[in-house]
Short mmCIF file of all heavy atoms in Angstrom, two decimals:
data_model
loop_
_atom_site.label_atom_id
_atom_site.label_comp_id
_atom_site.label_asym_id
_atom_site.label_seq_id
_atom_site.Cartn_x
_atom_site.Cartn_y
_atom_site.Cartn_z
N PRO A 76 89.33 94.97 104.52
CA PRO A 76 87.91 95.12 104.59
C PRO A 76 87.38 96.36 103.96
O PRO A 76 86.51 96.33 103.15
CB PRO A 76 87.59 95.12 106.09
CG PRO A 76 88.80 94.34 106.69
CD PRO A 76 89.95 94.76 105.83
N SER A 77 87.91 97.59 104.39
CA SER A 77 87.35 98.84 103.81
C SER A 77 88.36 99.96 103.98
O SER A 77 88.90 100.09 105.07
CB SER A 77 86.02 99.21 104.52
OG SER A 77 85.61 100.50 104.11
N VAL A 78 88.55 100.75 103.01
CA VAL A 78 89.42 101.88 103.00
C VAL A 78 88.95 102.96 103.97
O VAL A 78 89.69 103.83 104.35
CB VAL A 78 89.70 102.44 101.59
CG1 VAL A 78 88.49 103.32 101.17
CG2 VAL A 78 90.96 103.19 101.44
N ASP A 79 87.71 102.85 104.42
CA ASP A 79 87.18 103.80 105.30
C ASP A 79 87.54 103.52 106.84
O ASP A 79 86.92 104.10 107.69
CB ASP A 79 85.65 103.90 105.26
CG ASP A 79 85.21 104.65 103.95
OD1 ASP A 79 85.92 105.55 103.60
OD2 ASP A 79 84.13 104.31 103.43
N THR A 80 88.48 102.62 107.04
CA THR A 80 88.93 102.37 108.39
C THR A 80 90.39 102.83 108.49
O THR A 80 91.12 102.74 107.55
CB THR A 80 88.83 100.90 108.77
OG1 THR A 80 89.65 100.17 108.09
CG2 THR A 80 87.36 100.38 108.60
N GLY A 81 90.82 103.19 109.69
CA GLY A 81 92.17 103.68 109.89
C GLY A 81 93.20 102.65 109.46
O GLY A 81 94.22 103.05 108.82
N THR A 82 93.13 101.41 109.88
CA THR A 82 94.13 100.43 109.55
C THR A 82 94.21 100.15 108.04
O THR A 82 95.28 100.07 107.49
CB THR A 82 93.90 99.12 110.33
OG1 THR A 82 93.73 99.39 111.71
CG2 THR A 82 95.01 98.10 110.13
N CYS A 83 93.10 100.06 107.39
CA CYS A 83 93.05 99.83 106.01
C CYS A 83 93.66 101.00 105.23
O CYS A 83 94.47 100.83 104.30
CB CYS A 83 91.63 99.60 105.44
SG CYS A 83 90.83 98.13 106.26
N ALA A 84 93.32 102.20 105.61
CA ALA A 84 93.85 103.32 104.98
C ALA A 84 95.38 103.48 105.18
O ALA A 84 96.08 103.80 104.29
CB ALA A 84 93.13 104.63 105.56
N ALA A 85 95.83 103.10 106.39
CA ALA A 85 97.29 103.06 106.71
C ALA A 85 98.03 102.10 105.77
O ALA A 85 99.11 102.43 105.26
CB ALA A 85 97.53 102.73 108.16
N SER A 86 97.42 100.97 105.45
CA SER A 86 98.08 100.01 104.57
C SER A 86 98.19 100.53 103.17
O SER A 86 99.17 100.32 102.45
CB SER A 86 97.40 98.66 104.61
OG SER A 86 96.17 98.60 103.93
N VAL A 87 97.09 101.24 102.66
CA VAL A 87 97.20 101.85 101.38
C VAL A 87 98.24 102.86 101.32
O VAL A 87 99.12 102.97 100.38
CB VAL A 87 95.83 102.42 100.97
CG1 VAL A 87 95.98 103.15 99.63
CG2 VAL A 87 94.79 101.33 100.89
N ARG A 88 98.32 103.76 102.32
CA ARG A 88 99.40 104.81 102.41
C ARG A 88 100.75 104.20 102.41
O ARG A 88 101.61 104.63 101.66
CB ARG A 88 99.24 105.60 103.64
CG ARG A 88 98.01 106.60 103.57
CD ARG A 88 98.02 107.52 104.78
NE ARG A 88 96.68 108.04 105.03
CZ ARG A 88 95.84 107.58 105.89
NH1 ARG A 88 96.16 106.66 106.78
NH2 ARG A 88 94.67 108.15 106.04
N LYS A 89 100.98 103.16 103.23
CA LYS A 89 102.31 102.59 103.27
C LYS A 89 102.75 101.88 102.04
O LYS A 89 103.86 102.10 101.54
CB LYS A 89 102.30 101.56 104.46
CG LYS A 89 103.63 100.84 104.70
CD LYS A 89 104.71 101.79 105.26
CE LYS A 89 105.92 101.00 105.63
NZ LYS A 89 107.00 101.80 106.11
N PHE A 90 101.86 101.12 101.41
CA PHE A 90 102.20 100.41 100.15
C PHE A 90 102.39 101.49 99.06
O PHE A 90 103.24 101.35 98.15
CB PHE A 90 101.20 99.35 99.81
CG PHE A 90 101.45 98.05 100.43
CD1 PHE A 90 100.52 97.47 101.25
CD2 PHE A 90 102.61 97.34 100.22
CE1 PHE A 90 100.78 96.28 101.91
CE2 PHE A 90 102.92 96.15 100.81
CZ PHE A 90 101.97 95.61 101.65
N ASN A 91 101.64 102.55 99.09
CA ASN A 91 101.80 103.69 98.11
C ASN A 91 103.18 104.21 98.20
O ASN A 91 103.91 104.41 97.23
CB ASN A 91 100.75 104.71 98.27
CG ASN A 91 100.93 105.85 97.31
OD1 ASN A 91 100.73 105.76 96.12
ND2 ASN A 91 101.33 107.04 97.87
N GLU A 92 103.66 104.45 99.39
CA GLU A 92 104.99 105.02 99.67
C GLU A 92 106.06 104.03 99.21
O GLU A 92 107.10 104.40 98.57
CB GLU A 92 105.14 105.29 101.17
CG GLU A 92 106.42 105.84 101.60
CD GLU A 92 106.40 105.92 103.14
OE1 GLU A 92 105.51 106.59 103.71
OE2 GLU A 92 107.36 105.45 103.76
N GLU A 93 105.98 102.78 99.56
CA GLU A 93 106.92 101.79 99.29
C GLU A 93 106.93 101.40 97.74
O GLU A 93 107.95 101.11 97.23
CB GLU A 93 106.68 100.54 100.04
CG GLU A 93 106.83 100.71 101.59
CD GLU A 93 108.22 101.05 101.98
OE1 GLU A 93 109.21 100.70 101.30
OE2 GLU A 93 108.47 101.65 103.06
N ALA A 94 105.77 101.45 97.15
CA ALA A 94 105.68 101.04 95.73
C ALA A 94 106.45 101.96 94.78
O ALA A 94 106.91 101.55 93.75
CB ALA A 94 104.24 100.95 95.32
N ALA A 95 106.62 103.19 95.19
CA ALA A 95 107.29 104.21 94.37
C ALA A 95 108.70 103.76 93.98
O ALA A 95 109.18 104.06 92.94
CB ALA A 95 107.31 105.51 95.07
N GLY A 96 109.39 102.97 94.86
CA GLY A 96 110.71 102.64 94.64
C GLY A 96 110.92 101.19 94.19
O GLY A 96 112.05 100.68 93.99
N LEU A 97 109.84 100.48 93.82
CA LEU A 97 109.98 99.12 93.40
C LEU A 97 109.97 98.97 91.88
O LEU A 97 108.99 99.46 91.29
CB LEU A 97 108.82 98.27 94.01
CG LEU A 97 108.78 98.26 95.53
CD1 LEU A 97 107.52 97.49 96.00
CD2 LEU A 97 110.03 97.55 96.09
N GLU A 98 110.94 98.31 91.39
CA GLU A 98 111.03 98.18 89.89
C GLU A 98 110.08 97.03 89.47
O GLU A 98 110.09 95.97 90.07
CB GLU A 98 112.47 97.85 89.50
CG GLU A 98 112.70 97.89 88.02
CD GLU A 98 114.18 97.76 87.71
OE1 GLU A 98 115.00 98.44 88.36
OE2 GLU A 98 114.49 97.02 86.73
N ASN A 99 109.42 97.24 88.32
CA ASN A 99 108.64 96.22 87.71
C ASN A 99 107.62 95.62 88.69
O ASN A 99 107.30 94.41 88.60
CB ASN A 99 109.44 95.12 87.04
CG ASN A 99 108.64 94.28 86.07
OD1 ASN A 99 107.76 94.81 85.38
ND2 ASN A 99 108.89 92.98 86.06
N THR A 100 107.03 96.44 89.59
CA THR A 100 106.14 95.93 90.63
C THR A 100 104.89 96.82 90.60
O THR A 100 104.98 98.04 90.62
CB THR A 100 106.85 95.92 92.00
OG1 THR A 100 108.05 95.15 91.91
CG2 THR A 100 105.94 95.39 93.07
N ILE A 101 103.75 96.21 90.83
CA ILE A 101 102.52 96.89 90.94
C ILE A 101 101.79 96.48 92.26
O ILE A 101 101.88 95.28 92.62
CB ILE A 101 101.59 96.66 89.72
CG1 ILE A 101 100.27 97.50 89.80
CG2 ILE A 101 101.19 95.21 89.56
CD1 ILE A 101 100.46 98.74 89.04
N VAL A 102 101.21 97.44 92.96
CA VAL A 102 100.48 97.07 94.20
C VAL A 102 98.96 97.27 93.81
O VAL A 102 98.64 98.36 93.42
CB VAL A 102 100.82 97.98 95.34
CG1 VAL A 102 99.97 97.64 96.57
CG2 VAL A 102 102.30 97.92 95.68
N LEU A 103 98.21 96.27 94.04
CA LEU A 103 96.75 96.24 93.86
C LEU A 103 96.13 96.31 95.26
O LEU A 103 96.29 95.38 96.00
CB LEU A 103 96.28 95.01 93.10
CG LEU A 103 96.99 94.81 91.76
CD1 LEU A 103 96.40 93.54 91.07
CD2 LEU A 103 96.91 95.98 90.80
N CYS A 104 95.38 97.38 95.57
CA CYS A 104 94.66 97.51 96.79
C CYS A 104 93.23 97.10 96.57
O CYS A 104 92.53 97.73 95.82
CB CYS A 104 94.81 98.93 97.31
SG CYS A 104 96.49 99.46 97.72
N ILE A 105 92.89 96.04 97.23
CA ILE A 105 91.63 95.40 96.97
C ILE A 105 90.65 95.36 98.10
O ILE A 105 91.06 94.91 99.29
CB ILE A 105 91.83 93.91 96.50
CG1 ILE A 105 92.75 93.95 95.24
CG2 ILE A 105 90.58 93.19 96.23
CD1 ILE A 105 93.35 92.61 94.84
N SER A 106 89.43 95.81 97.93
CA SER A 106 88.46 95.73 98.97
C SER A 106 87.03 95.61 98.34
O SER A 106 86.92 95.62 97.08
CB SER A 106 88.46 97.01 99.85
OG SER A 106 88.00 98.14 99.12
N ARG A 107 86.00 95.62 99.14
CA ARG A 107 84.63 95.60 98.57
C ARG A 107 84.03 96.99 98.55
O ARG A 107 82.84 97.15 98.25
CB ARG A 107 83.80 94.67 99.39
CG ARG A 107 84.26 93.24 99.33
CD ARG A 107 83.25 92.20 99.53
NE ARG A 107 82.16 92.35 98.57
CZ ARG A 107 81.39 91.37 98.18
NH1 ARG A 107 81.57 90.17 98.58
NH2 ARG A 107 80.41 91.55 97.35
N ASP A 108 84.87 98.02 98.81
CA ASP A 108 84.37 99.41 98.67
C ASP A 108 84.05 99.67 97.26
O ASP A 108 84.60 99.11 96.32
CB ASP A 108 85.51 100.36 99.08
CG ASP A 108 85.88 100.31 100.62
OD1 ASP A 108 84.99 100.54 101.37
OD2 ASP A 108 87.06 100.00 100.92
N LEU A 109 83.12 100.60 97.08
CA LEU A 109 82.75 100.98 95.69
C LEU A 109 83.98 101.70 95.05
O LEU A 109 84.76 102.36 95.76
CB LEU A 109 81.59 101.96 95.70
CG LEU A 109 80.24 101.35 96.05
CD1 LEU A 109 79.17 102.44 96.18
CD2 LEU A 109 79.84 100.34 95.04
#
Side-chain angles (χ1 to χ4, degrees):
S77 174
V78 77
D79 284 330
T80 68
T82 306
C83 300
S86 74
V87 174
R88 286 185 202 104
K89 180 69 172 179
F90 276 118
N91 179 67
E92 178 184 308
E93 296 293 337
L97 300 175
E98 189 174 317
N99 195 38
T100 303
I101 186 94
V102 177
L103 306 180
C104 293
I105 302 167
S106 69
R107 295 203 62 151
D108 293 300
L109 290 174

